[in-house]
Every structure is written in C-alpha cells, then in structure tokens.
Amino acid sequence: MTETTETTESKDLFSKFDPLIQMRTDLLSTGVTDPFGLVMERVVSPTVAMCNGRETILLGTYNYMGMTFDADVIAAGKAALDDFGAGTTGSRVLNGTYAGHKAVEQALCEFYAMDHAMVFSTGYQANLGIISTIAGKGDYIVLDIDSHASIWDGCKLGDAEIVPFKHNDIDAMEKRLKRIPEGAGKLVILEGVYSMLGDIAPLKEMIAVAKKYGAMVLVDEAHSMGFIGPNGRGVAEDQGCLDDVDFVIGTFSKSVGTVGGFCVSNHPKFEIMRLVCRPYVFTASLPPSVVATAATSVRKLMNAGDKRAHLWANSKVLHKGLTDAGFQLGTTEPQSAIIAVVMPDLERGAMMWEALLHEGLYVNLARPPATPANMTLLRCSLCAEHSAEQVQTIIGMFTRAGKAVGII
Amino acid sequence: MDRAETSERIAALIEPFNKKGVTVTDATRFTDDLEFDSLTVMDFVAAIEDEFDIIISMNQQAEIENYGQLVDAVVKLQG
C-alpha cells in the first residue's frame, strides 16, 4: 500500500490586512516618523510632554479641562492607593464594588442631576454594554452614520435592526423612524460632539423628532462633558433638551482626566442594568485610585466656569488663527474644543504631522476608515490649561509647517 | 408591484452610482463588480428606501450581495 500525503494549503487569516500593511509600508517608506508610534517619555503638565527628547506642546490629548495634574485629583488617587490597594480584582457585581465606586456614581448623579449612574471600566464598554443590552431582537436602532466605533460595536453585539442615516440629517432620520413597523422598540443614538470634525449635532430638533415617533434617545457626550453647557453637562444641556434624553453616555478619559465610562439616566428601572449588562458584569471594575480621581475631578468640574470660558476663548482664537493662515478646517465656526484641519491626502497629512512634531507640537493624525468621507485630518484638541501664549505659538508652528509642506 | 417593475425602478436608481457603466444583471455584485464602498452603499440604500418607502436595515443588507438578491428583498419588503 502506498501512502499518499496530501497537504492542504492553509489560509493565512492575516491576508485581509494586506492592504493596510501595504498602506503603512508605503507611508513609512517616504521616510516620515511613524505617526502611530509616538512615545511620550515624560509628561510635564497637561499641555507639555517630552517626545523624542524634545519638549512638545500637546494638542492631541482629550484632556479638555486639564484635570490630569490637578492637585486635589492626584491626592485623592494616592490616598485611595494607600487605603484600598492597586485594584479590586473583581467584577462590580461580585467583589469589585468599593465605597469609591459608589462615590463616583453619586458624583455623576449630582453632576447631571439624574437619578441613576452606572460606571464602566471604559467609555467603549459603556456604549457596548448599554446599547447591546437595551435594544434587542425586533427592536430598531436609528443612528448617525458618523457614530463612534464603540456605538457601532454596541449595535453589532446586540440583536436589534440597525438603521443608519446621513450625518446630522434631520429629515433622513425622520424618514427612517416613520418607516419602522408599529409596535417595535426604537432607540435613536446621537452624539453631542462628533470627534472627527469637532462638529455638534442639532440635538434639540433631532430629539424632538425622535420623541414624536416614540423612540428612546441615547446621546454620547464624551467630547462635551465638563466644557459645553452652562453646567458642563454637554450639548443637550446647552440646547435645552437634556430632560428629553433617556441615556447620556460619557467617559472619564477626556475632561475627567483618567479612564472609565458611564451612563446616567432617569429611567425608573435603570438599576436592573447592573445585572443584565454583560460588559458591566463580566469585567473587572476600575481600580480604587481611578474612581477616587474621577469622583474628585467630576465634583471639581461642577464649578469650572472660568476654565470653560478660557477653553472657549482658546478654541475661538485657534480656529480663527488657522483659518486666517489659510488652512481648511472641519467646521466653519468653532463648535467644540476639537479643531480638525483637513489635509489634502494621507501622505501630505503625515508629512505635516511630522513637520509639526519637529516644531515641537503633537496633534492627532486621523485617517480613513476612522474619518468621514475618507478625509485625512490633523485633529487638534485644546485644553483649558493651554495659555493664550501657547495658542499663539501653536498657530505659528502650524503656519511654518504648512508652508514647509506646501499645504498653505 | 411585481418583480419586473421593481427591478426597473431599482435599475434607474443604480445608474448614478454605476460610475464604470457596468452592465447590471441579477448576478452583478455590489462590492466586487460595482465597487461600492461603504459611503456609496449608504447613499444607494437611502435612495431605494426613499423610492419604495421601506427600511433595509444593515442586518438585511448583510444578506444582499448581488442585484438579484436586492430586487427580491425589495419585492418582499413591499409586502
């Protein structure tokens, strides 16, 4: 008997990444510094770090309110480390709820003036958990096409029918709501500030339409918390429609200055989410030091009117300065702390990013598929701790780099 | 509305998105043959939804790869 050995060539599961690998190789072959491999060697303050041995102004963090180095915040974190240790080693529903977790949820209830708050280990998990748990089989989710990846992934994790509409298009949203079969559950998902272009949503009109069709409304206010609205509660507060929002999603990794995510709500049955929401139940809770820093920061943000005013001033000056220098921006008016500078293509975007880094400025390079309409963007995120002088320095750096690369 | 009439109306809607002038048959695939990217898919689906006053959720779109499947789905969704 002759033995035949037949081998089947196995498929490399990484083949699907080949176009991306090629794009990265092509980009780096031009000689630019890897825009996705920056290491901060030392962080000096909320607005300055040492990068590649050079003092660099940070304009690409989400540290909008500059809370990362707040003395009270740091003291609270240190005390919690001493008193409660490095971590909880457990889920919130088992051994992972400490006094600090309840305290930060209480702080959030007071910050938003809402009845319930539930803290997740990240903002990503907050969207993943809330969306996939509340909208199930036979329900419909109507959402903006430019929604954040965590919102899309929350939709994917659940069993609801997913219906996207064109960005900020109220008519397109209404048409889709109108067509949903009678009796089906409906959830409309919107964001206060859309993080790529830094533009805001017409929440007042959109939420009114959603309510007209009996939909529940979830608004992600990750990029507005602390900064937008009279009390820093976000775009919905600013537009006077927060009372009509059923669920606000937010994060600790932006204005609050640490890490974690949350949902606040007035829904009378909200507390059951702690038992049914899998990304809440099946993960370790945040370390005591993190919830302590978050609680202190959230309480300080309640009285941060001066910081909010300074950050708005920064946003207006930078927007005008870059517009006057000849750059194309994502919004015609400053609408948030994000100023997105539109680049002609990825290659020149990366060259500009590198030129800015050499000037001593860090911004975020954003590219497809994370960006709308396949744009390449240099996204600037301002901080309330940027001084007026730093903002002028930044405009000068952009102008020099833009001329060197030939964009302006 | 029967299948032929539905197909005729969808064929008219596809034209502005059919940049390369591909001859569309029931077997024509949206991604591979017409080279639709995600933005084009959204605009094209919106045009069909508005024309027939229906919803084609993303879950349903995942099952539709070619033109023939789309026509069948639209016929079904009209009830």
Side-chain angles (χ1 to χ4, degrees), chain A residues 39-106:
Chain A
V39 176
M40 300 201 187
E41 293 130 21
R42 196 158 60 83
V43 180
V44 181
S45 74
T47 62
V48 174
M50 298 302 291
C51 304
N52 303 329
R54 176 184 181 133
E55 192 169 288
T56 304
I57 297 178
L58 301 175
L59 192 64
T61 76
Y62 295 122
N63 194 5
Y64 298 125
M65 299 297 278
M67 298 306 280
T68 52
F69 278 82
D70 182 275
D72 296 332
V73 167
I74 289 175
K78 283 180 176 169
L81 261 177
D82 286 342
D83 295 344
F84 292 94
T88 68
T89 75
S91 159
R92 282 295 302 276
V93 292
L94 297 172
N95 59 309
T97 296
Y98 289 10
H101 296 83
K102 300 306 284 183
V104 73
E105 286 175 344
Q106 186 55 41

Side-chain angles (χ1 to χ4, degrees), chain B residues 67-79:
Chain B
Y67 181 80
Q69 290 167 341
L70 174 66
V71 176
D72 291 338
V74 173
V75 170
K76 204 173 155 196
L77 284 165
Q78 291 177 94

Side-chain angles (χ1 to χ4, degrees), chain A residues 160-162 175-176 179, chain B residues 49-50 53-54 57-59:
Chain A
E161 297 291 327
I162 310 304
K175 274 184 202 164
R176 274 143 198 87
R179 292 172 190 147
Chain B
E49 288 178 327
D50 290 350
D53 199 23
I54 54 171
S57 70
M58 290 182 81
N59 321 44

Side-chain angles (χ1 to χ4, degrees), chain A residues 329-390:
Chain A
L329 304 188
T331 57
T332 50
E333 298 293 326
Q335 297 184 5
S336 67
I338 299 169
I339 310 280
V341 186
V342 183
M343 292 290 113
D345 50 51
L346 178 60
E347 192 181 343
R348 275 179 288 176
M351 283 166 66
M352 180 73 186
W353 179 88
E354 187 185 49
L356 287 172
L357 196 61
H358 286 156
E359 287 278 345
L361 181 67
Y362 174 78
V363 298
N364 282 314
L365 176 65
R367 57 169 174 80
T371 48
N374 293 324
M375 284 190 274
T376 297
L377 303 168
L378 289 183
R379 282 164 58 246
C380 308
S381 311
L382 281 154
C383 173
E385 295 295 320
H386 281 124
S387 65
E389 294 74 29
Q390 275 178 318

